[in-house]
PDB file of all heavy atoms in Angstrom:
ATOM      1  N   MET A 316      16.252-107.300  76.194  1.00  0.00           N
ATOM      2  CA  MET A 316      17.199-108.046  75.378  1.00  0.00           C
ATOM      3  C   MET A 316      16.642-109.432  75.091  1.00  0.00           C
ATOM      4  O   MET A 316      16.097-110.088  75.981  1.00  0.00           O
ATOM      5  CB  MET A 316      18.524-108.195  76.120  1.00  0.00           C
ATOM      6  CG  MET A 316      19.530-107.161  75.750  1.00  0.00           C
ATOM      7  SD  MET A 316      21.212-107.665  76.121  1.00  0.00           S
ATOM      8  CE  MET A 316      21.284-107.362  77.851  1.00  0.00           C
ATOM      9  N   SER A 317      16.823-109.863  73.855  1.00  0.00           N
ATOM     10  CA  SER A 317      16.409-111.221  73.500  1.00  0.00           C
ATOM     11  C   SER A 317      17.421-112.200  74.096  1.00  0.00           C
ATOM     12  O   SER A 317      18.534-111.817  74.479  1.00  0.00           O
ATOM     13  CB  SER A 317      16.342-111.374  71.980  1.00  0.00           C
ATOM     14  OG  SER A 317      17.640-111.288  71.436  1.00  0.00           O
ATOM     15  N   TYR A 318      17.057-113.479  74.119  1.00  0.00           N
ATOM     16  CA  TYR A 318      17.951-114.497  74.664  1.00  0.00           C
ATOM     17  C   TYR A 318      19.271-114.551  73.877  1.00  0.00           C
ATOM     18  O   TYR A 318      20.350-114.562  74.487  1.00  0.00           O
ATOM     19  CB  TYR A 318      17.254-115.861  74.673  1.00  0.00           C
ATOM     20  CG  TYR A 318      18.129-116.963  75.182  1.00  0.00           C
ATOM     21  CD1 TYR A 318      18.436-117.052  76.541  1.00  0.00           C
ATOM     22  CD2 TYR A 318      18.684-117.902  74.313  1.00  0.00           C
ATOM     23  CE1 TYR A 318      19.264-118.052  77.018  1.00  0.00           C
ATOM     24  CE2 TYR A 318      19.508-118.907  74.776  1.00  0.00           C
ATOM     25  CZ  TYR A 318      19.799-118.975  76.129  1.00  0.00           C
ATOM     26  OH  TYR A 318      20.619-119.956  76.603  1.00  0.00           O
ATOM     27  N   PRO A 319      19.231-114.559  72.528  1.00  0.00           N
ATOM     28  CA  PRO A 319      20.503-114.562  71.792  1.00  0.00           C
ATOM     29  C   PRO A 319      21.366-113.329  72.083  1.00  0.00           C
ATOM     30  O   PRO A 319      22.594-113.427  72.167  1.00  0.00           O
ATOM     31  CB  PRO A 319      20.075-114.580  70.322  1.00  0.00           C
ATOM     32  CG  PRO A 319      18.707-115.156  70.333  1.00  0.00           C
ATOM     33  CD  PRO A 319      18.096-114.712  71.629  1.00  0.00           C
ATOM     34  N   GLU A 320      20.730-112.170  72.278  1.00  0.00           N
ATOM     35  CA  GLU A 320      21.490-110.960  72.609  1.00  0.00           C
ATOM     36  C   GLU A 320      22.139-111.093  73.987  1.00  0.00           C
ATOM     37  O   GLU A 320      23.290-110.682  74.182  1.00  0.00           O
ATOM     38  CB  GLU A 320      20.591-109.727  72.564  1.00  0.00           C
ATOM     39  CG  GLU A 320      20.179-109.326  71.172  1.00  0.00           C
ATOM     40  CD  GLU A 320      19.134-108.235  71.137  1.00  0.00           C
ATOM     41  OE1 GLU A 320      18.357-108.095  72.091  1.00  0.00           O
ATOM     42  OE2 GLU A 320      19.105-107.522  70.122  1.00  0.00           O
ATOM     43  N   LYS A 321      21.423-111.683  74.940  1.00  0.00           N
ATOM     44  CA  LYS A 321      21.997-111.903  76.279  1.00  0.00           C
ATOM     45  C   LYS A 321      23.196-112.838  76.200  1.00  0.00           C
ATOM     46  O   LYS A 321      24.221-112.606  76.849  1.00  0.00           O
ATOM     47  CB  LYS A 321      20.936-112.474  77.227  1.00  0.00           C
ATOM     48  CG  LYS A 321      19.884-111.481  77.636  1.00  0.00           C
ATOM     49  CD  LYS A 321      18.832-112.131  78.505  1.00  0.00           C
ATOM     50  CE  LYS A 321      17.699-111.167  78.805  1.00  0.00           C
ATOM     51  NZ  LYS A 321      16.616-111.804  79.540  1.00  0.00           N
ATOM     52  N   CYS A 322      23.067-113.899  75.385  1.00  0.00           N
ATOM     53  CA  CYS A 322      24.172-114.848  75.222  1.00  0.00           C
ATOM     54  C   CYS A 322      25.386-114.161  74.601  1.00  0.00           C
ATOM     55  O   CYS A 322      26.521-114.377  75.038  1.00  0.00           O
ATOM     56  CB  CYS A 322      23.747-116.032  74.341  1.00  0.00           C
ATOM     57  SG  CYS A 322      22.547-117.109  75.131  1.00  0.00           S
ATOM     58  N   PHE A 323      25.144-113.330  73.601  1.00  0.00           N
ATOM     59  CA  PHE A 323      26.241-112.631  72.937  1.00  0.00           C
ATOM     60  C   PHE A 323      26.914-111.653  73.898  1.00  0.00           C
ATOM     61  O   PHE A 323      28.142-111.565  73.950  1.00  0.00           O
ATOM     62  CB  PHE A 323      25.750-111.906  71.679  1.00  0.00           C
ATOM     63  CG  PHE A 323      26.845-111.249  70.907  1.00  0.00           C
ATOM     64  CD1 PHE A 323      27.777-112.013  70.217  1.00  0.00           C
ATOM     65  CD2 PHE A 323      26.971-109.873  70.871  1.00  0.00           C
ATOM     66  CE1 PHE A 323      28.811-111.423  69.505  1.00  0.00           C
ATOM     67  CE2 PHE A 323      28.001-109.265  70.169  1.00  0.00           C
ATOM     68  CZ  PHE A 323      28.925-110.044  69.484  1.00  0.00           C
ATOM     69  N   LYS A 324      26.110-110.943  74.674  1.00  0.00           N
ATOM     70  CA  LYS A 324      26.667-109.996  75.645  1.00  0.00           C
ATOM     71  C   LYS A 324      27.526-110.733  76.677  1.00  0.00           C
ATOM     72  O   LYS A 324      28.613-110.276  77.044  1.00  0.00           O
ATOM     73  CB  LYS A 324      25.534-109.228  76.337  1.00  0.00           C
ATOM     74  CG  LYS A 324      26.022-108.106  77.213  1.00  0.00           C
ATOM     75  CD  LYS A 324      24.894-107.283  77.762  1.00  0.00           C
ATOM     76  CE  LYS A 324      25.443-106.190  78.663  1.00  0.00           C
ATOM     77  NZ  LYS A 324      24.397-105.400  79.271  1.00  0.00           N
ATOM     78  N   LYS A 325      27.044-111.899  77.116  1.00  0.00           N
ATOM     79  CA  LYS A 325      27.800-112.722  78.070  1.00  0.00           C
ATOM     80  C   LYS A 325      29.124-113.169  77.438  1.00  0.00           C
ATOM     81  O   LYS A 325      30.181-113.135  78.076  1.00  0.00           O
ATOM     82  CB  LYS A 325      26.961-113.935  78.484  1.00  0.00           C
ATOM     83  CG  LYS A 325      27.607-114.818  79.497  1.00  0.00           C
ATOM     84  CD  LYS A 325      26.710-115.977  79.866  1.00  0.00           C
ATOM     85  CE  LYS A 325      27.444-116.928  80.786  1.00  0.00           C
ATOM     86  NZ  LYS A 325      26.662-118.145  81.031  1.00  0.00           N
ATOM     87  N   PHE A 326      29.075-113.577  76.176  1.00  0.00           N
ATOM     88  CA  PHE A 326      30.269-113.992  75.440  1.00  0.00           C
ATOM     89  C   PHE A 326      31.294-112.847  75.393  1.00  0.00           C
ATOM     90  O   PHE A 326      32.491-113.063  75.595  1.00  0.00           O
ATOM     91  CB  PHE A 326      29.876-114.432  74.020  1.00  0.00           C
ATOM     92  CG  PHE A 326      31.041-114.622  73.093  1.00  0.00           C
ATOM     93  CD1 PHE A 326      31.789-115.788  73.135  1.00  0.00           C
ATOM     94  CD2 PHE A 326      31.396-113.632  72.189  1.00  0.00           C
ATOM     95  CE1 PHE A 326      32.875-115.959  72.280  1.00  0.00           C
ATOM     96  CE2 PHE A 326      32.477-113.784  71.340  1.00  0.00           C
ATOM     97  CZ  PHE A 326      33.219-114.957  71.383  1.00  0.00           C
ATOM     98  N   LEU A 327      30.817-111.634  75.107  1.00  0.00           N
ATOM     99  CA  LEU A 327      31.711-110.475  75.041  1.00  0.00           C
ATOM    100  C   LEU A 327      32.405-110.240  76.378  1.00  0.00           C
ATOM    101  O   LEU A 327      33.603-109.962  76.435  1.00  0.00           O
ATOM    102  CB  LEU A 327      30.938-109.217  74.629  1.00  0.00           C
ATOM    103  CG  LEU A 327      30.392-109.179  73.203  1.00  0.00           C
ATOM    104  CD1 LEU A 327      29.502-107.956  73.016  1.00  0.00           C
ATOM    105  CD2 LEU A 327      31.513-109.204  72.188  1.00  0.00           C
ATOM    106  N   LYS A 328      31.633-110.346  77.467  1.00  0.00           N
ATOM    107  CA  LYS A 328      32.190-110.117  78.810  1.00  0.00           C
ATOM    108  C   LYS A 328      33.203-111.203  79.183  1.00  0.00           C
ATOM    109  O   LYS A 328      34.282-110.909  79.691  1.00  0.00           O
ATOM    110  CB  LYS A 328      31.058-110.074  79.838  1.00  0.00           C
ATOM    111  CG  LYS A 328      30.555-108.690  80.120  1.00  0.00           C
ATOM    112  CD  LYS A 328      29.849-108.709  81.462  1.00  0.00           C
ATOM    113  CE  LYS A 328      29.204-107.426  81.806  1.00  0.00           C
ATOM    114  NZ  LYS A 328      30.017-106.257  81.709  1.00  0.00           N
TER     115      LYS A 328
END
Side-chain angles (χ1 to χ4, degrees):
M316 264 201 281
S317 67
Y318 178 73
E320 289 172 334
K321 288 177 186 175
C322 291
F323 184 70
K324 188 174 179 183
K325 182 179 174 187
F326 169 80
L327 292 173
K328 266 201 185 309

